[in-house]
Amino acid sequence: MSSYDFSIFWKESIKQLKEDKLISNQEFDMWFTNINYVSSSENSITVSVPSNFYKDQVVQRYLDVLESRLLQLSGRQLKLHFFIIQKNDKKIPSKNEVIIESHELNEIKPQIRQIKPKSHPQLRYDYTFENFVVGNNNIFAANAAKGISDNPGSSYNPCLIYGGVGMGKTHLMQSIGNEIFKSGADTKIVFISAETFVSEFIQSLKNKTQQAFKNRYRNNVDVLLIDDIHEFHSKEGTQDELFHTFNALYDANKQMVFTCDRPPSELVNFANRLKSRFEMGLNVDLQPPNYETRLAILKNMNDESKINIPDEVMEMICKNITTNIRDLKAALTKLIAYADLVGKNITTEIAQNQLKQAFNAPIQANITIDRVQRIVSEYFNITPNDLKGKKRTKVITFPRQISMYIIREVTDFSTTEIGLEFGGRDHTTVMHSCQRIEDRMKTDSTIEPLVMNLIRSVKEHGNK
Ligand code: ADP
Ligand code: MG
């Protein structure tokens, strides 16, 4: 009989998934009411699912988040194993019955997931120094990051990496984590977005588990990586908690790295004592890359792909997309996908056609905030006043965030100006909204086409 019982961590991890609103109640009911805990071993938990379809869906949608929750909760790298209940398996053994141990599962045809190459559960495996192209714009930051991964906790502590959207902050920060992880040393690395940190903290207050939260971040970490700390603005309670976390880790010579969309001095609604902590160690910035660096980034990316995009096309992309590495990469990805699907070689004409939108994207002088608000509210069947008003129901906030995002994309109004046109909201709210949409685009494939269509309508109206 197995002496391990991690059922409590399993239960808590799916509970958190629900409570943190990482998935809707509907989705939760769909996927999690039919999964049952079966058994544990030293480094795994086995759960049962009704079909292969179930297993694949749960693996695709939730495996990463579940495994990283399990790590956070238990401090162990627990892998999730699945087995499919056959029709004649009447039920799952209950606690008092025989616990099925891993090797016994053979009898009921376990569907054990292939174990991935060893990678840190919270880090993207491809965010490495090898994949990070160094140019004039980022050489200082890149060298500092390498220095940190060679000697965490010693020279550059804390380190704050700042720069605009899509400049490579997350990539560089995760490279530090991946490098230390690869070195094989027994170093506990925790990567967390500021947003998740906030929601975990709030959750711990609700559940009265503050002590566990404190332990997790103050006593159980060697390298703490917190992404997008500007998200802590106006969150006084969490700032306070972070301040104490910071001090505990700093005193214990543990490495901390933060990313931020601006230098700490420009943070608003931040406790001064926390700002000064961020300023203490090394602050490095990531600037927009110049033409040569942009080209090097694309070439590096194209080398990884089986489809070859001609140099002249890459040069054209680099001339036209100048500000943001994320957009630059997205343009190349689009062409690679096109070539793959249509089976054609990419010429400059095809590229121009496919990337029209990205090339024209930046500024359209004649587009007003008012027009975007009208078109978006019409589409969602609400009024422009709803967008400007105070209501925070989902029916309104989503269109509001979309409107702000579109205005940021197609005009050059500042976030402060945009905030004013949305009932006098703070510029950080505007930034936060845009970030929300960007984040959702990454996980929900329906959002990008929706935004693109709205942008098209906004532009068309402009020409009438
Ligand atoms: P940020 O966190 O600053 O918004 P990301 O780290 O998410 O930006 O980077 C956006 C995209 O650009 C990612 O796909 C990342 O891999 C890529 N990227 C950024 N900087 C570089 C670089 N120097 N070399 C290669 N890829 C980069
Ligand atoms: Mg980022």
Side-chain angles (χ1 to χ4, degrees):
M1 175 124 30
S2 168
S3 55
Y4 295 97
D5 181 358
F6 298 137
S7 53
I8 179 173
F9 298 126
W10 164 253
K11 282 190 198 128
E12 181 63 22
S13 67
I14 59 172
K15 195 166 141 230
Q16 287 189 2
L17 206 64
K18 189 175 183 183
E19 286 173 352
D20 294 356
K21 302 263 179 293
L22 289 174
I23 66 176
S24 68
N25 285 345
Q26 224 176 356
E27 255 184 287
F28 185 87
D29 290 342
M30 178 146 79
W31 301 116
F32 288 94
T33 44
N34 287 315
I35 303 184
N36 289 294
Y37 170 83
V38 175
S39 66
S40 312
S41 76
E42 185 179 359
N43 46 24
S44 71
I45 291 180
T46 301
V47 293
S48 67
V49 285
S51 67
N52 263 317
F53 168 71
Y54 246 85
K55 186 196 96 179
D56 291 342
Q57 290 292 316
V58 171
V59 165
Q60 269 174 30
R61 291 162 186 259
Y62 312 115
L63 187 69
D64 286 348
V65 46
L66 283 170
E67 287 189 345
S68 71
R69 279 294 144 104
L70 287 170
L71 175 70
Q72 280 169 5
L73 290 164
S74 67
R76 278 168 187 260
Q77 205 119 38
L78 294 171
K79 293 278 166 201
L80 266 188
H81 293 173
F82 296 84
F83 87 87
I84 317 296
I85 307 178
Q86 306 298 328
K87 287 234 162 55
N88 49 4
D89 291 338
K90 284 175 282 339
K91 61 182 183 112
I92 304 298
S94 74
K95 223 175 159 194
N96 303 325
E97 295 172 79
V98 180
I99 307 261
I100 304 173
E101 286 201 75
S102 286
H103 59 272
E104 293 177 61
L105 285 175
N106 288 334
E107 285 172 33
I108 40 175
K109 301 213 172 48
Q111 302 284 325
I112 295 185
R113 186 173 68 85
Q114 287 290 312
I115 296 191
K116 280 189 277 183
K118 212 166 170 266
S119 60
H120 189 286
Q122 296 164 331
L123 301 174
R124 268 186 64 152
Y125 72 94
D126 57 340
Y127 279 0
T128 58
F129 288 128
E130 290 77 31
N131 292 338
F132 191 82
V133 174
V134 178
N136 291 346
N137 59 313
N138 59 20
I139 185 163
F140 186 49
N143 283 340
K146 284 182 190 152
I148 290 171
S149 59
D150 289 341
N151 282 307
S154 49
S155 31
Y156 309 122
N157 197 25
C159 173
L160 181 129
I161 302 168
Y162 67 91
V165 172
M167 285 304 135
K169 302 183 294 292
T170 303
H171 185 141
L172 193 57
M173 174 190 243
Q174 293 210 4
S175 302
I176 299 175
N178 272 318
E179 189 72 16
I180 299 174
F181 186 74
K182 255 192 308 197
S183 73
D186 190 17
T187 311
K188 285 209 195 76
I189 303 160
V190 172
F191 170 87
I192 187 165
S193 70
E195 213 175 344
T196 309
F197 190 90
V198 172
S199 66
E200 281 190 8
F201 177 63
I202 293 173
Q203 210 56 53
S204 79
L205 296 181
K206 274 196 204 143
N207 300 344
K208 305 212 172 8
T209 52
Q210 290 114 296
Q211 201 50 46
F213 181 91
K214 282 186 181 135
N215 276 340
R216 183 151 77 237
Y217 293 104
R218 292 187 199 176
N219 306 327
N220 227 347
V221 177
D222 297 311
V223 177
L224 179 63
L225 310 171
I226 306 187
D227 204 11
D228 293 333
I229 55 149
H230 47 271
E231 298 285 354
F232 288 125
H233 77 88
S234 316
K235 312 270 184 340
E236 284 160 32
T238 317
Q239 285 183 23
D240 206 43
E241 175 64 27
L242 182 65
F243 177 75
H244 294 294
T245 306
F246 185 109
N247 292 342
L249 293 179
Y250 188 77
D251 289 344
N253 290 324
K254 305 297 188 187
Q255 179 70 48
M256 286 170 279
V257 184
F258 306 103
T259 67
C260 187
D261 67 353
R262 64 192 83 182
S265 57
E266 290 175 21
L267 286 169
V268 285
N269 294 330
F270 255 80
N272 281 333
R273 60 180 189 169
L274 191 56
K275 269 207 253 187
S276 70
R277 289 295 182 286
F278 291 142
E279 282 168 333
M280 258 166 61
L282 182 70
N283 288 184
V284 288
D285 68 334
L286 291 172
Q287 292 289 332
N290 61 15
Y291 176 78
E292 284 73 25
T293 311
R294 294 201 295 281
L295 197 57
I297 290 173
L298 284 194
K299 288 196 167 162
N300 187 52
M301 192 181 153
N302 194 212
D303 286 346
E304 308 274 301
S305 150
K306 57 183 191 306
I307 287 164
N308 187 41
I309 305 288
D311 282 357
E312 56 191 25
V313 170
M314 286 201 268
E315 285 159 15
M316 185 174 82
I317 298 176
C318 292
K319 279 186 196 131
N320 283 282
I321 300 179
T322 53
T323 46
N324 179 324
I325 304 171
R326 187 173 295 146
D327 292 347
L328 193 69
K329 280 191 155 181
L332 189 66
T333 306
K334 185 164 183 194
L335 293 185
I336 291 173
Y338 180 87
D340 199 25
L341 287 172
V342 182
K344 277 190 191 164
N345 286 334
I346 297 290
T347 60
T348 43
E349 286 72 38
I350 293 181
Q352 205 134 35
N353 219 346
Q354 286 299 308
L355 300 176
K356 231 183 292 168
Q357 205 152 41
F359 289 174
N360 296 332
I363 310 304
Q364 285 227 341
N366 55 347
I367 292 180
T368 60
I369 293 181
D370 181 60
R371 186 192 320 149
V372 176
Q373 289 175 333
R374 268 187 290 120
I375 286 168
V376 174
S377 56
E378 204 170 292
Y379 177 80
F380 285 99
N381 202 14
I382 56 177
T383 68
N385 278 339
D386 287 332
L387 295 177
K388 297 178 207 170
K390 295 267 170 276
K391 266 191 224 148
R392 300 194 53 174
T393 54
K394 235 197 207 152
V395 189
I396 310 286
T397 47
F398 181 57
R400 189 181 287 141
Q401 288 168 345
I402 293 256
S403 315
M404 292 179 179
Y405 178 84
I406 291 176
I407 295 166
R408 274 301 266 172
E409 287 290 300
V410 300
T411 73
D412 62 352
F413 289 109
S414 70
T415 46
T416 310
E417 288 166 317
I418 299 172
L420 285 175
E421 295 296 323
F422 282 82
R425 288 182 157 78
D426 191 73
H427 75 280
T428 51
T429 309
V430 178
M431 279 177 0
H432 180 73
S433 300
C434 297
Q435 188 65 47
R436 278 286 297 159
I437 297 297
E438 261 175 38
D439 290 347
R440 289 192 58 173
M441 278 188 194
K442 280 183 224 149
T443 52
D444 183 341
S445 59
T446 62
I447 296 194
E448 192 167 15
L450 170 81
V451 170
M452 290 305 157
N453 278 334
L454 284 168
I455 290 184
R456 203 166 301 133
S457 321
V458 165
K459 288 184 175 170
E460 279 167 8
H461 277 244
N463 298 331
K464 273 184 195 157

